[in-house]
């Protein structure tokens, strides 16, 4: 059966440089959990060989999610690059939109903004990275770049058994 993919609604636009207090009050995960009651949230599956993604967040939601497959014991690092980097945040979540095993807390320092994920299980698994752009700085004309680093060779690892659209996530066009 087909499942409804819900377009994220507008978040209030951030108009001052976010600090620790701002990030502490921006409960995007509660909003994502609430939205998921209406259907699946869009996630962009990332091919295992992709090293960079040039993209922008949904407007006016100000965030976008990407799905990654990880082999057993694999470690993945994703870094966002943009001219207004201090306005961005990355979050790593599982299929239910919560930080799972092997998901280290994203840095809130101005540079670099990156998150590291590892798969501590003995089977391939999926993880999701959310790019949070509360001031809506990323646009088609001024996109961000995600730099993806893996500690495994995608050409030698079979991740075809991993389903990237489970839990609260539904598929949106691939990059």
């Amino acid at each position: 059966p087909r499942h409804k993919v819900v377009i994220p609604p507008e978040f209030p636009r951030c108009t001052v440089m976010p600090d620790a207090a701002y990030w502490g009050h921006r409960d995007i995960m509660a909003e994502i959990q609430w939205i998921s009651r209406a259907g699946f949230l869009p996630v962009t599956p990332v091919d295992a060989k992709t090293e960079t993604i040039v993209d922008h967040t949904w407007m006016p939601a100000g965030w976008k999610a990407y799905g990654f497959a990880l082999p057993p014991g694999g470690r993945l690092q994703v870094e966002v690059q943009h001219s207004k980097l201090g306005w961005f945040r990355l979050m790593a979540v599982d299929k239910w939109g919560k930080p799972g095993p092997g998901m280290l807390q994203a840095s809130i320092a101005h540079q670099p903004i990156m998150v590291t994920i590892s798969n501590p299980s003995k089977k391939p698994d999926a993880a999701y990275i959310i790019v949070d752009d509360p001031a809506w700085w990323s646009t088609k004309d001024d996109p961000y770049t995600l730099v993806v680093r893996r500690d495994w060779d995608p050409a030698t690892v079979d991740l075809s058994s991993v389903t990237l659209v489970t839990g609260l996530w539904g598929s949106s066009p691939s990059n």
Side-chain angles (χ1 to χ4, degrees):
R2 292 208 40 123
H3 299 284
K4 179 180 174 185
V5 176
V6 179
I7 302 304
E10 179 177 353
F11 267 91
R13 186 174 189 184
C14 178
T15 57
V16 295
M17 175 74 85
D19 57 12
Y22 174 84
W23 292 124
H25 292 293
R26 181 172 165 85
D27 195 355
I28 191 170
M29 297 318 301
E31 186 74 16
I32 285 172
Q33 292 288 331
W34 181 80
I35 297 166
S36 71
R37 293 179 182 155
F40 292 97
L41 289 159
V43 65
T44 301
V46 177
D47 183 88
K49 296 177 185 92
T50 299
E51 294 179 1
T52 59
I53 299 165
V54 177
D55 205 357
H56 55 90
T57 58
W58 291 299
M59 296 310 281
W63 63 271
K64 192 164 191 176
Y66 299 89
F68 293 88
L70 287 86
R75 187 169 177 251
L76 175 81
Q77 186 178 70
V78 178
E79 177 184 351
V80 66
Q81 298 174 346
H82 190 270
S83 61
K84 293 183 173 63
L85 192 56
W87 295 79
F88 286 79
R89 167 174 73 165
L90 294 177
M91 293 175 287
V93 297
D94 65 10
K95 67 183 179 179
W96 299 112
K98 297 183 178 188
M103 296 178 186
L104 304 176
Q105 188 67 20
S107 168
I108 299 184
H110 289 292
Q111 292 187 11
I113 304 296
M114 69 176 74
V115 65
T116 302
I117 306 169
S118 60
N119 178 4
S121 78
K122 297 193 183 303
K123 10 183 228 189
D125 201 3
Y128 303 87
I129 300 292
I130 298 171
V131 177
D132 190 6
D133 174 14
W136 311 343
W137 287 119
S138 63
T139 64
K140 194 177 279 191
D141 295 329
D142 190 12
Y144 54 78
T145 299
L146 293 180
V147 178
V148 181
R149 299 175 191 96
R150 297 169 179 85
D151 73 348
W152 72 91
D153 180 357
T156 63
V157 176
D158 180 15
L159 296 172
S160 61
S161 65
V162 178
T163 303
L164 289 175
V165 289
T166 59
L168 55 82
W169 305 106
S171 185
S172 69
S174 182
N175 263 3

